[in-house]
Amino acid sequence: MADFSLWVITSNLLLATRWTIALSLVAFVSGGAVGLLLLLARMSASGALRRFVSLYVEFFQGTPLLMQLFMLCFGAALFGVEISPWMAASLALTFWTSAFLTEIWRGCVESVPKGQWEAGSSVALTYVEQMRYVILPQALRIAVPPTVGFSVQVIKGTALASIIGFVELSRAGAMINNATFRPFLVYSITGLIYFALCYPLSLLAKSLERRLNAAG
Amino acid sequence: MIYKLQFADLLPYWDVLARGFVFTVALTVVSTMAGVLVGTLGACARTFGPRWLAGLLGAYVELIRNTPFLVQLFFVYFGLPAAGLKLTETQAAFIAMTINLGAYSTEIIRAGSEATPKGVIEAGVSLAMTRLQVLRHVVLKPAFQKVWPALASQIIIVMLGSSVVSQISAEDLTYAANFIQSRNFRAFESYFVVALAYLLLAVLTRAILRALGSRLFPKA
Amino acid sequence: MPLVSIVDVRKSFGANEVLKGVSLPVEKGDVVAIIGRSGSGKSTLLRCVNGLETHDAGSIMVDGLEVGGAKTDMRALRRHVGMVFQQFNLFPHLTALGNVTLAPRVVEKMGEGRARELGLEMLAKVGLAEKRDAYPSQLSGGQQQRVAIARALAMRPKALLCDEITSALDPELVNEVLRVVEKLAGEDMTLILVTHEMRFARDVGTKLVFMHQGRVHEQGAPKALFAAPQTAELQQFIGASFK
Ligand SMILES: Nc1ncnc2c1ncn2[C@@H]1O[C@H](COP(=O)(O)OP(=O)(O)OP(=O)(O)O)[C@@H](O)[C@H]1O
Ligand SMILES: [Mg+2]
């Protein structure tokens, strides 16, 4: 009997994990795309664009993700748009992810020594060419480990979608707990599933970073 | 069809907001102190303690860093009572935040203290300092100096993350927003104002921690 | 009774026996210069004297206290024995003065004002009073090493151990450090120096110790030993060093 319910609990949680993975992927990929656009805006010559990006980053990094989710849900309702929990969660996580990624990447671009820009212009490359052929290839290399590392934050961030009613792993955990009254067991398994998703990525990020440092 | 924002509808509830604000600040301050203490002890034990303890702490750090805070909170609030430990919402929120920040700060402080060259520790020893004095003056002080910015960022992340304690009915800022919008039906306005309050808190926290850092650990 | 007496000390790292029965008495006011090839156990011997390494057999007494003895308070012992390292090992987060006053403050529980006074006196002794507020990263190697000497002196040690304290320095910075050590020798400080500066060992040392393969191979008055080494090994070592 105990074994049976353990199996039922685990299999139901695993089924819900699909949605955690799907939401994470959507948030990470679209957040990455938006983050890249923001990065370009941030590095552009337009002062207004740069100011916009830093305000954007300040807002999304300085307020709780949960507030962002709520504001998106209810903000859409103000315009008479009925937005599904999936849509709301995807959008909010995209904004949130883009703010963090663009900031991480900016740090990487800025960590390329100034001499590299100068070397680029000394062989008559334009700004765009310097960026394209000299700076980005170097920045990209440094950017991979922290970007992989941030994917862990995205996966953990998706747990908040449960609060606006999207049924993913955390929400499934709460629902199963309400049905079985075995919170210790249910939340242990829920936690372990998250761990199984996140830990390999953490390890990957760490080993990538070590390899990068070793390569100099 | 353009909706007109009605921030004035929040005014009658200013005391609810204020209570939530104070709760979030107090929870953050207390669990930051406890969490950094856990992290300091954890980092020392991980670096200088016996192998089994270092392994145990490593598992703790990884477990916490690779699971969502929401699940940790539910585990503490719903799971521990089932195992015989009764907790109020506030206690559960405090414990979960301390455990969470404790893990991150263990890792952060360890990164700082491991960089201490062996020779510098020996210099302290040969000046007749006790192990504790060496740890405090030679290892931890410079470690804190080095990692203070990282620690400050993490404290802010934990403060913002604390908004989910409203899910176990701890009466924090987010709880206040939920409460107000359930009364005045101005959901967007409520969450917007509370989001700004968090933003203010984040900015203030950063400024205070920076000032504290340059007071406690003046930079070389 | 000598101030430091080392009797038949043995020390192994795993299967590698590094000290194979070393005996050495050091009287108060002695300036003992220890020379020898790399790996002959000089550093290990020095580190055994203040207990940074524990010896396996034999005995080391410092001012009546047995190093590593069951009843010995090692901290009390270390208050009497200062140490200066090859790599300076200054505390990077403290100023020069902060480095010098840390141990008086936390070990001797000295008040802020008195510690400062003492620290400034010690910095003046090594000629760096004006660098009191500089951090180690802002000092040259020679200056860092002089701060390290001041730091050790601030504990008023009865003996000072120096392990190749000029080896990490650029040649033009060596002399400023050696001059400080010479001054200490002139003030009757008991010094045990591991050094590669042969001329300094000869001119300032009161006793020369040549270590070879974990043993004291030859010892005596520096000038006599340099003029007429008794063993082939020392002869060869001196020949190679003075070239
Ligand atoms: N902590 C240690 N663990 C293992 N072996 C060690 C350790 N410290 C020293 N040794 C070994 O002991 C031997 C003697 O080392 P020691 O540092 O005393 O030599 P030394 O005479 O000071 O040489 P140098 O002139 O190069 O400083 C060497 O073979 C060294 O490899
Ligand atoms: Mg040596």
Side-chain angles (χ1 to χ4, degrees):
Chain A
M1 180 65 198
D3 285 333
F4 177 67
S5 59
L6 178 66
W7 167 241
V8 171
I9 291 169
T10 310
S11 58
N12 276 294
L13 287 174
L14 284 174
L15 281 175
T17 305
R18 290 177 305 174
W19 292 105
T20 291
I21 296 174
L23 187 56
S24 302
L25 281 175
V26 167
F28 191 68
V29 171
S30 52
V34 175
L36 202 58
L37 292 177
L38 290 168
L39 180 67
L40 293 179
R42 180 67 221 242
M43 314 278 307
S44 78
S46 154
L49 271 180
R50 287 203 304 268
R51 274 200 61 74
F52 166 76
V53 176
S54 45
L55 277 178
Y56 180 98
V57 168
E58 183 71 31
F59 181 78
F60 285 103
Q61 289 195 346
T63 60
L65 176 56
L66 183 57
M67 289 299 106
Q68 297 163 24
L69 277 162
F70 282 152
M71 278 190 290
L72 211 122
C73 284
F74 295 107
L78 293 188
F79 294 98
V81 182
E82 200 53 57
I83 189 169
S84 71
W86 159 260
M87 226 23 229
S90 304
L91 277 174
L93 279 161
T94 296
F95 292 141
W96 181 77
T97 303
S98 68
F100 277 88
L101 284 181
T102 203
E103 196 61 6
I104 290 172
W105 293 340
R106 183 173 70 93
C108 295
V109 170
E110 283 175 0
S111 75
V112 176
K114 250 187 90 189
Q116 293 296 309
W117 289 98
E118 289 164 3
S121 53
S122 77
V123 290
L125 298 183
T126 66
Y127 174 86
V128 175
E129 288 165 345
Q130 288 170 33
M131 195 70 170
R132 164 83 181 72
Y133 296 105
V134 181
I135 305 302
L136 278 188
Q138 299 185 56
L140 214 61
R141 228 167 53 96
I142 327 174
V144 173
T147 304
V148 173
F150 188 72
S151 67
V152 173
Q153 308 304 323
V154 176
I155 295 176
K156 293 193 292 177
T158 62
L160 296 196
S162 67
I163 295 174
I164 58 167
F166 180 64
V167 182
E168 40 61 82
L169 179 51
S170 296
R171 181 78 177 184
M175 286 158 60
I176 292 170
N177 176 44
N178 287 339
T180 61
F181 303 111
R182 301 182 65 182
F184 195 86
L185 180 71
V186 172
Y187 289 118
S188 295
I189 300 174
T190 308
L192 284 178
I193 295 176
Y194 275 111
F195 185 79
L197 291 178
C198 295
Y199 190 53
L201 289 168
S202 293
L203 284 183
L204 178 64
K206 208 182 281 178
S207 91
L208 285 170
E209 191 184 324
R210 213 174 299 128
R211 207 175 314 160
L212 189 68
N213 287 340
Chain B
M1 82 147 275
I2 289 297
Y3 177 88
K4 199 136 181 296
L5 292 175
Q6 304 278 356
F7 287 105
D9 288 354
L10 292 180
L11 283 178
Y13 299 98
W14 70 271
D15 57 324
V16 180
L17 266 179
R19 271 203 302 277
F21 191 84
V22 169
F23 184 94
T24 292
V25 170
L27 182 64
T28 303
V29 169
V30 176
S31 43
T32 292
M33 291 196 288
V36 172
L37 182 68
V38 169
T40 308
L41 296 176
C44 293
R46 229 184 139 178
T47 314
F48 303 105
R51 188 176 283 257
W52 62 268
L53 186 59
L56 208 65
L57 282 164
Y60 156 64
V61 167
E62 294 305 337
L63 208 56
I64 295 301
R65 295 205 315 160
N66 289 289
T67 51
F69 176 61
L70 184 66
V71 174
Q72 295 161 16
L73 182 71
F74 283 173
F75 183 84
V76 169
Y77 185 64
F78 298 113
L80 290 188
L85 187 63
K86 276 264 168 290
L87 294 170
T88 67
E89 302 81 51
T90 307
Q91 287 167 341
F94 165 70
I95 291 174
M97 281 176 71
T98 301
I99 291 174
N100 186 276
L101 182 60
Y104 280 95
S105 49
T106 295
E107 188 61 15
I108 291 172
I109 297 167
R110 185 181 68 107
S113 62
E114 268 187 355
T116 317
K118 189 159 158 277
V120 172
I121 294 174
E122 287 185 344
V125 171
S126 69
L127 286 167
M129 292 161 81
T130 62
R131 285 171 69 95
L132 218 60
Q133 287 169 337
V134 170
L135 201 60
R136 174 163 163 216
H137 295 283
V138 177
V139 179
L140 287 179
K141 270 247 180 102
F144 266 94
Q145 199 176 75
K146 213 173 307 164
V147 303
W148 190 252
L151 206 55
S153 309
Q154 193 59 44
I155 289 169
I156 290 169
I157 289 174
V158 168
M159 187 271 287
L160 296 175
S162 79
S163 69
V164 304
V165 303
S166 58
Q167 293 303 301
I168 59 167
S169 305
E171 302 185 5
D172 74 332
L173 253 179
T174 305
Y175 183 89
N178 291 337
F179 177 87
I180 294 169
Q181 66 98 10
S182 72
R183 296 298 168 91
N184 69 2
F185 305 107
R186 299 286 178 209
F188 183 80
E189 290 88 334
S190 301
Y191 290 120
F192 185 73
V193 165
V194 165
L196 289 185
Y198 275 109
L199 188 58
L200 177 74
L201 261 181
V203 171
L204 278 180
T205 307
R206 198 181 305 150
I208 290 171
L209 287 176
R210 188 173 299 158
L212 198 66
S214 57
R215 259 309 269 287
L216 292 177
F217 315 109
K219 262 267 182 291
Chain C
M1 174 130 183
L3 179 63
V4 178
S5 98
I6 301 169
V7 180
D8 201 27
V9 164
R10 292 168 185 277
K11 167 78 185 172
S12 304
F13 291 108
N16 180 13
E17 191 172 33
V18 175
L19 299 178
K20 301 170 180 164
V22 175
S23 296
L24 183 68
V26 179
E27 302 292 341
K28 190 171 177 327
D30 268 354
V31 178
V32 180
I34 302 177
I35 59 173
R37 256 191 268 288
S38 179
S40 57
K42 308 176 300 284
S43 297
T44 306
L45 179 64
L46 218 57
R47 291 162 60 84
C48 283
V49 172
N50 77 345
L52 282 179
E53 302 284 358
T54 49
H55 52 286
D56 304 332
S59 89
I60 303 175
M61 303 282 290
V62 178
D63 198 30
L65 290 172
E66 174 164 22
V67 179
K71 287 195 282 296
T72 308
D73 176 359
M74 283 308 289
R75 291 188 53 227
L77 185 137
R78 288 192 180 114
R79 287 155 88 148
H80 303 311
V81 184
M83 178 131 185
V84 185
F85 301 83
Q86 180 174 345
Q87 298 298 341
F88 330 138
N89 293 342
L90 289 182
F91 306 129
H93 62 299
L94 297 176
T95 60
L97 186 62
N99 266 276
V100 179
T101 56
L102 180 66
R105 281 194 296 113
V106 307
V107 177
E108 310 284 353
K109 311 284 180 228
M110 201 178 275
E112 197 75 46
R114 270 194 59 214
R116 188 181 161 81
E117 219 169 282
L118 172 70
L120 288 174
E121 184 191 331
M122 293 304 142
L123 283 176
K125 203 181 192 96
V126 298
L128 286 174
E130 80 282 6
K131 293 287 184 190
R132 71 189 79 156
D133 295 322
Y135 284 92
S137 57
Q138 301 164 329
L139 296 171
S140 75
Q143 291 170 331
Q144 288 190 51
Q145 194 59 294
R146 282 147 67 198
V147 172
I149 294 173
R151 178 176 71 178
L153 292 177
M155 295 296 280
R156 308 266 180 211
K158 297 191 166 122
L160 192 61
L161 313 174
C162 300
D163 189 358
E164 299 197 29
I165 61 173
T166 56
S167 296
L169 299 177
D170 291 336
E172 70 273 18
L173 300 176
V174 167
N175 270 329
E176 61 183 72
V177 173
L178 291 183
R179 271 203 308 278
V180 169
V181 178
E182 193 173 351
K183 190 165 116 190
L184 291 177
E187 292 169 1
D188 227 24
M189 171 63 87
T190 307
L191 293 163
I192 307 180
L193 321 155
V194 172
T195 184
H196 284 161
E197 300 292 332
M198 294 301 151
R199 266 174 253 280
F200 185 78
R202 185 184 60 194
D203 299 341
V204 179
T206 60
K207 186 177 199 173
L208 187 73
V209 173
F210 173 58
M211 286 196 63
H212 185 66
Q213 295 182 346
R215 291 195 173 83
V216 175
H217 203 67
E218 213 175 322
Q219 57 178 309
K223 291 196 177 66
L225 232 51
F226 275 115
Q230 302 295 301
T231 61
E233 287 80 7
L234 180 56
Q235 203 162 9
Q236 197 189 1
F237 183 76
I238 293 174
S241 308
F242 274 101
K243 247 194 317 229

